[in-house]
Every structure is written in C-alpha cells, then in structure tokens.
C-alpha cells in the first residue's frame, strides 16, 4: 500500500543555514587535518629544509630516508634499531588481549542479561564501579600482585592487565546489547535442550556480530595506543610501539631529527587509522545496531 505523499514545499537546496553548516564542517576538518599534514610534510623534508622554519611548506623533493631510519635505525639511547621491534611487540600484545577481552566480555554480558545469576545486579554494579576508578590507583597493587604470581615484566602479564582493565566497558556494551534480545529466544532454546554454552555459541554470538566488531575496534585502538600500562607492566623486552616512540623522541644525541620523529609518530598511529578507514562502515553499523540499546 502506498504511503501518504507530502504536500508541502520541498526544502530549499541552498540556504544560509546549509552554507554555514558546510563552512563549519570544512573548517573543523582542516583544523583536525592540519597536524597530520604538518607531520607528513615534515617527515618528507631534509633537515636543511626543516631549519628554514617553514613548517607548512611542501618539501622540495620527496625524501623517504627519515621513514627508513624511523623504522629500522632510530636510536633509543645507545640502541639504534628503530621502531620495528615495538611494532611486533604491539601486535603480540594487542591481538590476544583484544580476543580474550571480547570473548570474556561477551560471556559476561550474556550471563548478566539473559541468565541473571544470584547477585547479578550487584556484580554488574561492582564491575562498573571498578571501571570508573582511574588506572593510576591500581598501578601499585597490580604491580605487587603480578610480581607475586611471576607475571610482572612479561608478555602474558601485560596481556592480562589489558584484559582486566578492558572488561568493564566490554561487559557493559555486550550486556546492553543482549538485554534487547527477546528472552523467549533463550527459553525456547533451553526447551530444545540447549545449555549455556550452546546457546551462546550458536545463537547469541552470531546475533552479536555487529557488537563484536564495535568492541573489537574500541579495544584494539585503546590497547594499541596505550602508553602507561605498557611502560609499567610489559618489561624491557616487550615494550609496545608507543613506549619506544617516546624513547626515540626523547633521545637526543647531537641534532634533534624532527623528520625521523614525525615519521616514527605516523608509523605508530598508522595501524589504528587503517583499521578505522577500512572498517569504519561496519563500525557505524555496529554502533547503530546495538551500542545505543539498553
């Protein structure tokens, strides 16, 4: 059946308000892109060009030597291996931490919303309260606990820390998503003989794919960009990319090489940026599908 047809006048294509809106969006985009532009052009300049002080000028010639140095030759103290080792350390930390936190958070959200064990609301409240406490308060007790279980300064230790600190947000998002699923679906599956894990893996987890995408991207970005927890818990052999970037930028032997510093900074940020650019459509769909429910 055809719907009602609008009878009023069509909105004008060009209005003062629309022009002002586009002008604001353009200015905002330029404002946020200006630091990235400055970093890119500086990384492609030689030090002779940088000394001229024309930070917005394009490079006379494209020189990628700073990128090569940042990746494999930049110095951190007396060690000149670049930021390459930090990249692989960040990969080794981020991938298992994201997988574990998303899985455990999904199970928590599923149990708290559809099974409601005794004291579920209290447990959920305590978990949320713990998530609101600043990281810095936990540092010393966490260091003592991790040292007692012999996980301090280890790859397993930093992964465990990221999983623990990520659980409140992940559980909240999954709990709000699953609470919108009809409870009758879970009851019908139980009548057919399905248990807790079978319902989770065969029904709830496929339903929650949009939320899995959203939470994975949030966790990946947060863990990859982390500096404090990686510095404290990772240990010297597992320092993530952000910590090694800090060591490169703050290590000055002779002239400070701004082009190398800019290239190293871009290399550190390129993975989260690429993920957002390549999967931004699914992120928006996931947010629209479930993040605002509950």
């Amino acid at each position: 059946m055809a719907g009602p047809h609008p009878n009023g006048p069509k909105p004008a294509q060009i209005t003062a308000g629309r022009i002002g809106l586009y002008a604001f969006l353009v200015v905002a985009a330029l404002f946020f892109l200006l630091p990235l532009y400055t970093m890119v052009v500086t990384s492609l300049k030689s030090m002779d060009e940088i000394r001229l002080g024309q930070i917005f000028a394009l490079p006379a010639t494209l020189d990628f030597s700073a990128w090569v140095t940042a990746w494999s030759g930049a110095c951190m103290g007396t060690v000149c291996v670049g930021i390459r080792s930090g990249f692989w350390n960040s990969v080794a930390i981020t991938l298992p931490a994201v997988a574990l936190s998303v899985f455990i958070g999904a199970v928590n959200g599923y149990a708290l919303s559809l099974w409601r064990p005794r004291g579920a609301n209290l447990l959920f409240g305590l978990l949320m309260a713990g998530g609101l406490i600043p990281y810095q308060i936990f540092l010393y007790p966490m260091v003592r606990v991790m040292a007692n279980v012999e996980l301090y300064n280890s790859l397993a230790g930093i992964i465990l820390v990221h999983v623990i600190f990520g659980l409140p947000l992940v559980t909240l998002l999954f709990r709000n998503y699953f609470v919108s699923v009809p409870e009758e679906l879970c009851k019908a599956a139980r009548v057919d003989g399905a248990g807790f894990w079978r319902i989770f893996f065969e029904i709830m987890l496929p339903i929650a794919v949009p939320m899995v995408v959203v939470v994975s991207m949030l966790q990946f970005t947060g863990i990859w960009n982390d500096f404090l927890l990686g510095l404290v818990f990772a240990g010297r052999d597992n320092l993530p990319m952000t910590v090694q970037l800090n060591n490169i930028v703050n290590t000055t032997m002779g002239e400070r090489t701004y082009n190398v510093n800019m290239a190293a900074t871009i290399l550190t940020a390129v993975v989260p940026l690429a993920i957002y650019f390549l999967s931004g459509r699914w992120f928006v769909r996931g947010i629209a599908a479930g993040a605002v429910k509950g």
Side-chain angles (χ1 to χ4, degrees), residues 76-265:
M76 292 165 282
T78 58
V79 179
C80 299
V81 296
I83 207 166
R84 178 177 51 188
S85 61
F87 172 81
W88 294 115
N89 289 340
S90 291
V91 172
I93 293 170
T94 304
L95 294 183
V98 170
L100 288 174
S101 60
V102 170
F103 175 75
I104 298 174
V107 174
N108 286 348
Y110 162 60
L112 291 173
S113 58
L114 294 176
W115 289 80
R116 297 188 184 90
R118 180 174 298 178
N121 291 334
L122 176 61
L123 291 173
F124 182 66
L126 292 175
L127 191 62
M128 292 303 102
L132 297 175
I133 299 175
Y135 286 1
Q136 290 78 1
I137 296 177
F138 287 103
L139 285 184
Y140 182 70
M142 285 290 290
V143 168
R144 296 300 302 269
V145 171
M146 299 297 284
N148 289 334
V149 297
E150 299 182 353
L151 288 176
Y152 184 62
N153 281 347
S154 68
L155 183 61
I158 181 63
I159 292 173
L160 179 61
V161 169
H162 278 302
V163 171
I164 292 173
F165 282 114
L167 275 183
L169 175 63
V170 176
T171 300
L172 172 66
L173 293 175
F174 274 110
R175 187 256 183 193
N176 286 352
Y177 188 87
F178 285 129
V179 80
S180 65
V181 176
E183 193 173 358
E184 289 73 14
L185 188 62
C186 182
K187 291 180 179 178
R190 295 177 66 182
V191 170
D192 291 337
F196 181 90
W197 292 109
R198 186 177 177 187
I199 296 175
F200 174 72
F201 283 111
E202 297 186 6
I203 299 177
M204 296 304 162
L205 202 56
I207 291 176
V209 169
M211 184 51 56
V212 171
V213 174
V214 171
V215 171
S216 298
M217 293 181 67
L218 290 175
Q219 280 291 92
F220 189 96
T221 306
I223 295 173
W224 187 278
N225 292 333
D226 165 69
F227 174 82
L228 179 62
L229 299 180
L231 176 64
V232 175
F233 292 98
R236 183 181 296 273
D237 296 332
N238 306 302
L239 290 177
M241 212 172 182
T242 49
V243 178
Q244 293 198 348
L245 171 64
N246 172 76
N247 295 341
I248 289 174
V249 172
N250 289 318
T251 297
T252 303
M253 299 178 66
E255 184 180 45
R256 185 178 291 276
T257 52
Y258 292 103
N259 50 358
V260 174
N261 294 344
M262 294 298 178
T265 305

Side-chain angles (χ1 to χ4, degrees), residues 37-38 40-45 49-50 52-60:
Y37 167 78
T38 306
V40 171
V41 296
T42 303
S43 69
L44 297 174
K45 292 178 180 177
E49 288 184 88
I50 293 175
L52 297 176
Q54 300 172 350
I55 61 173
F56 299 122
L58 293 172

